[in-house]
Amino acid sequence: MTKFDFSEFDFRAGYDLLATGFERADGDQVPFVQQCHEFSMKYIGINAWTFYSDPESFVYGSLKTAHDMGFDTPDLCWDAYNVEAEAIGCKLVKFDDLTPAIDNTTPLVTCEKDLAKLKPLDLGAGRIPFAMNVSALFKDVTGVEPSLVYCAPLTLASHVMTFEALVLQMQDNPDYVHKVMTYLTDEVLAPYINEFCRRFPNVTLVPGSDAVASLPFISLGMVEEFALHYIERLRSLTDDRAVVDNWWGDSFVEDQHQFWQFKLRACPNYLKVQDPDLYRVGAHKAKDYAMARDLPIMLGVSNNLLTQGPVQEIEKRIHEYLEIAEPGGKNLLYLCNFSSQTPVDYVKASIAAIDKYRQGDRPWAGQHTSGTPEARDYEKFGKKKEPGGEKPAPTKISTLSESQEGLLDDLFDYVVDGDQAPAVAAVNQALAEGVALDAILDDALIAAMEEVGGMFSEGTIFVPEMLLSARAMKGGLEILRPLLTETRFKPKGLVMLATVQGDVHDIGKNLVGMMLEGAGYKVVDLGVNIDINTALQKARDLKPDVIGLSALLTTTMPQMAKIIAAFRAAEEPYPIIIGGAPVTQEFADKVGADGYGADAPGAVDLVRSLVETGGNWKQAVAKVSVGV
């Protein structure tokens, strides 16, 4: 006896539409799917951990939400990035109102000795049984074959090693990374997927999630060597059932066709392109590429748009993608995603827009804006500075010898190129030749990181290159730090960083911290999952010049608003800036933040302006916002 009544749910018509529209191309309407497990959890008003650990609660919530909102079919995706990592020993942080998350502040694998201790996946460990039981119950209730969602090898490796360590080891010790990847592919993921397919033998496709393998988190070369290679290996171990379809970063490469070829090697069955990349490169371009290969196309609408609106823009985007997808069939609209922060009215507005289009009411017909020049900066990580946006560098009269100038030039190049050992050697040699500390710091280390930041904002390098440069800079800085202390060298300012409560992701925050240190600031990093009281108390103790808050999840963005409100209520006089993948300038304005950093270089620019203006930081924020 179940505790829920499943009798009211019938999605046969939706699944028929999905089959005819996406798989066979003989339907007369474009079907749609959605990711919405966080929204479902909040919509049915259930404790988050109960939702993500009790199969009946999860299946009922998914079906109830789909029924009430008018979805074609329910969403059977849970927190896909956590299950396998938890099962092999990673720490899972649980919340009452947020999606659980892997806490890798103490990584599971730091060396080959750690790797040797790991065992093959225990199919009874963690929430592996939850995933299997959800799938079984879903099939019993709907009569439809379930779909397992899994964490792809590279993203799983970032959980067990940390992202920063993974990227640096790709450079320093690729053989070690390949050993980690082989273990995760052969002894964790393949047994998991094969057991699922044994229980559900009619399943032909098992989609995986692999956000970390997206650009600009890693480079195309890394995608091919460390992500694609192991996805293809996993496919060979699972009778080609395993696929990965959710890489993004299409707009970060000049040649989308090359990237899409990579995507089709990871998922030969269809091509999936989603916002913001889809809007930047153009839905027509993606559709034409798929049609030329007789493949289905999945066009994805932006999470930020679905969550923040306005309703008219949601309708326009949905209608544009439906109109582009429709000719020739084999098409699917993907709403990615409805989170716990998405207003119910916006979810209903999205479905109303689809219904309106299907009924022939198409007020935006022919008005396509994706792929236009105006769309190319849509939700961009970093924006190039406007002309005149930088103060001219003061003219300096060098007192250095030609040899010393050459040393600093070499040090600059080593940091830009991410060569740590030569950078450290160059700092030592510069000190031995009597180069002043401020010259080494300002003219080489800081100048190099400013160059790196500019290159990232312009899209000529990606996150791995920034991490390598930051490590090279930090290597030099470690040599200088005791000398700077002895000479009472004053940092340019003190910045306190934190990832907000409920969020254990630290990639962006760590990168900002490295860039700030490279720019001459003292950084105190409180870590992840920081609550309001901790943030307040630490700020009172440290008295920072600027506070930076980070969030990677839409579900944790409200914690930023709560911290900002608490600081204002307590009349604490610190400027607070925010950033993270789902954060936008509009959100920053809405919650009363004093600035928004679209990327690490942008955050450094903002901090610099805030600190340089002293108490007039409101004016500094306004100047940075308009690129003055």
Side-chain angles (χ1 to χ4, degrees):
M1 177 69 68
T2 66
K3 54 180 174 281
F4 298 107
D5 179 10
F6 293 95
S7 62
E8 64 178 315
F9 307 128
D10 184 353
F11 296 99
R12 285 175 293 182
Y15 280 107
D16 287 344
L17 176 60
L18 184 62
T20 57
F22 188 54
E23 298 170 12
R24 297 199 301 269
D26 55 359
D28 58 358
Q29 292 181 336
V30 178
F32 75 92
V33 294
Q34 67 290 323
Q35 180 179 321
C36 65
H37 59 88
E38 294 172 346
F39 178 83
S40 298
M41 176 266 294
K42 184 175 181 180
Y43 177 71
I44 65 171
I46 196 168
N47 173 276
W49 179 240
T50 300
F51 183 75
Y52 289 107
S53 61
D54 175 53
E56 286 192 17
S57 298
F58 184 88
V59 173
Y60 177 79
S62 300
L63 299 182
K64 175 68 172 173
T65 302
H67 173 270
D68 290 1
M69 295 297 112
F71 298 159
D72 284 348
T73 56
D75 170 34
L76 199 64
C77 174
W78 46 82
D79 55 314
Y81 289 113
N82 300 323
V83 174
E84 300 90 343
E86 178 197 10
I88 60 175
C90 290
K91 179 182 178 182
L92 186 73
V93 183
K94 305 167 186 176
F95 304 101
D96 290 332
D97 56 351
L98 298 169
T99 307
I102 294 296
D103 180 0
N104 59 8
T105 51
T106 304
L108 186 65
V109 175
T110 60
C111 60
E112 293 202 28
K113 186 176 180 180
D114 291 339
L115 180 61
K117 295 177 183 177
L118 296 181
K119 307 293 185 186
L121 177 68
D122 176 359
L123 291 168
R127 286 184 300 148
I128 298 291
F130 164 80
M132 298 295 184
N133 292 334
V134 162
S135 302
L137 178 59
F138 178 83
K139 183 176 181 180
D140 288 345
V141 171
T142 65
V144 175
E145 289 295 330
S147 178
L148 179 73
V149 287
Y150 69 93
C151 181
L154 188 77
T155 299
L156 184 54
S158 75
H159 281 326
V160 303
M161 294 177 64
T162 77
F163 173 78
E164 183 180 337
L166 173 63
V167 169
L168 294 176
Q169 289 295 336
M170 286 177 181
Q171 173 78 14
D172 297 343
N173 193 354
D175 289 345
Y176 163 57
V177 176
H178 282 299
K179 290 178 182 178
V180 174
M181 299 293 294
T182 299
Y183 161 75
L184 295 173
T185 303
D186 293 11
E187 300 191 51
V188 178
L189 294 174
Y192 181 32
I193 294 169
N194 285 333
E195 174 61 18
F196 176 82
C197 293
R198 185 190 69 78
R199 298 188 188 195
F200 306 98
N202 293 325
V203 168
T204 59
L205 210 62
V206 182
S209 297
D210 201 16
V212 168
S214 300
L215 311 179
F217 295 135
I218 61 174
S219 66
L220 267 180
M222 290 175 172
V223 169
E224 185 167 27
E225 180 178 356
F226 294 101
L228 188 52
H229 172 76
Y230 289 96
I231 292 169
E232 292 180 325
R233 182 184 182 101
L234 184 61
R235 284 178 52 74
S236 71
L237 294 171
T238 58
D239 293 329
D240 288 337
R241 289 182 170 125
V243 298
V244 169
D245 68 358
N246 76 324
W247 291 344
W248 63 80
D250 315 61
S251 62
F252 284 86
V253 293
E254 293 293 330
D255 183 4
Q256 276 84 40
H257 286 197
Q258 180 190 7
F259 189 50
W260 291 342
Q261 287 169 11
F262 280 13
K263 281 189 168 186
L264 292 180
R265 286 169 60 186
C267 180
N269 309 74
Y270 56 89
L271 177 66
K272 178 179 177 181
V273 187
Q274 61 196 67
D275 287 340
D277 296 295
L278 178 61
Y279 190 69
R280 294 175 195 155
V281 305
H284 274 296
K285 186 174 183 178
K287 174 63 185 290
D288 291 346
Y289 182 88
M291 282 194 69
R293 289 152 183 81
D294 193 29
L295 286 171
I297 182 72
M298 188 185 301
L299 304 180
V301 179
S302 166
N303 164 69
N304 282 341
L305 178 60
L306 295 172
T307 298
Q308 299 175 19
V311 168
Q312 185 179 82
E313 291 303 315
I314 293 174
E315 181 176 291
K316 287 171 67 176
R317 183 74 55 83
I318 286 174
H319 278 215
E320 175 176 343
Y321 288 176
L322 287 173
E323 188 172 49
I324 291 171
E326 194 171 39
K330 289 190 177 181
N331 43 50
L332 184 64
L333 183 72
Y334 176 44
L335 304 177
C336 179
N337 69 346
F338 298 131
S339 76
S340 62
Q341 301 307 309
T342 307
V344 173
D345 287 347
Y346 283 8
V347 177
K348 292 181 176 179
S350 301
I351 308 311
I354 295 171
D355 290 340
K356 188 175 179 178
Y357 184 88
R358 288 175 173 177
Q359 293 162 11
D361 186 357
R362 305 176 181 183
W364 316 107
Q367 299 182 37
H368 301 167
T369 55
S370 68
T372 61
E374 294 75 21
R376 288 172 191 163
D377 281 335
Y378 176 68
E379 292 184 18
K380 205 77 170 182
F381 270 103
K383 293 183 179 179
K384 297 178 184 179
K385 294 182 176 63
E386 299 295 329
E390 295 184 18
K391 294 186 295 185
T395 302
K396 295 177 67 174
I397 300 175
S398 176
T399 59
L400 300 175
S401 69
E402 185 175 341
S403 172
Q404 291 172 329
E405 290 274 12
L407 266 177
L408 294 187
D409 288 344
D410 289 343
L411 177 55
F412 177 96
D413 291 339
Y414 293 143
V415 172
V416 170
D417 294 339
D419 292 333
Q420 183 183 28
V424 169
V427 170
N428 281 321
Q429 188 175 351
L431 290 171
E433 293 195 15
V435 180
L437 295 178
D438 60 345
I440 298 173
L441 193 62
D442 294 337
D443 298 345
L445 296 180
I446 292 177
M449 290 309 295
E450 288 177 348
E451 176 74 9
V452 168
M455 293 165 69
F456 179 80
S457 292
E458 292 170 2
T460 56
I461 63 170
F462 290 163
V463 171
E465 291 90 345
M466 289 186 71
L467 284 174
L468 290 167
S469 292
R471 183 177 64 170
M473 175 276 300
K474 288 188 74 171
L477 195 59
E478 287 303 312
I479 297 170
L480 297 182
R481 188 167 280 128
L483 301 175
L484 293 169
T485 301
E486 287 177 14
T487 58
R488 298 187 179 181
F489 187 90
K490 188 176 180 181
K492 294 182 177 180
L494 173 62
V495 182
M496 185 180 91
L497 299 178
T499 300
V500 297
Q501 187 174 23
D503 204 323
V504 294
H505 299 87
D506 60 4
I507 297 172
K509 172 181 63 63
N510 292 350
L511 201 51
V512 169
M514 292 177 188
M515 294 285 291
L516 284 168
E517 285 190 330
Y521 296 91
K522 181 178 180 181
V523 175
V524 176
D525 187 345
L526 303 187
V528 300
N529 196 24
I530 300 301
D531 60 30
I532 294 171
N533 290 334
T534 300
L536 274 169
Q537 187 56 54
K538 289 294 184 181
R540 288 164 178 158
D541 294 342
L542 295 168
K543 296 179 173 52
D545 295 289
V546 180
I547 296 171
L549 302 178
S550 174
L552 186 68
L553 306 174
T554 54
T555 49
T556 57
M557 287 167 61
Q559 297 299 321
M560 291 177 160
K562 292 178 181 179
I563 290 178
I564 291 169
F567 270 78
R568 301 297 181 252
E571 298 184 349
E572 296 293 349
Y574 307 108
I576 301 175
I577 64 174
I578 64 175
V583 181
T584 63
Q585 182 66 60
E586 290 75 17
F587 177 78
D589 295 339
K590 179 180 178 181
V591 301
D594 301 306
Y596 160 65
D599 54 23
V604 173
D605 287 343
L606 183 54
V607 167
R608 183 182 293 114
S609 294
L610 291 168
V611 173
E612 287 179 356
T613 55
N616 298 319
W617 46 269
K618 291 283 187 184
Q619 181 181 359
V621 170
K623 286 184 176 181
V624 171
S625 297
V626 298
V628 174

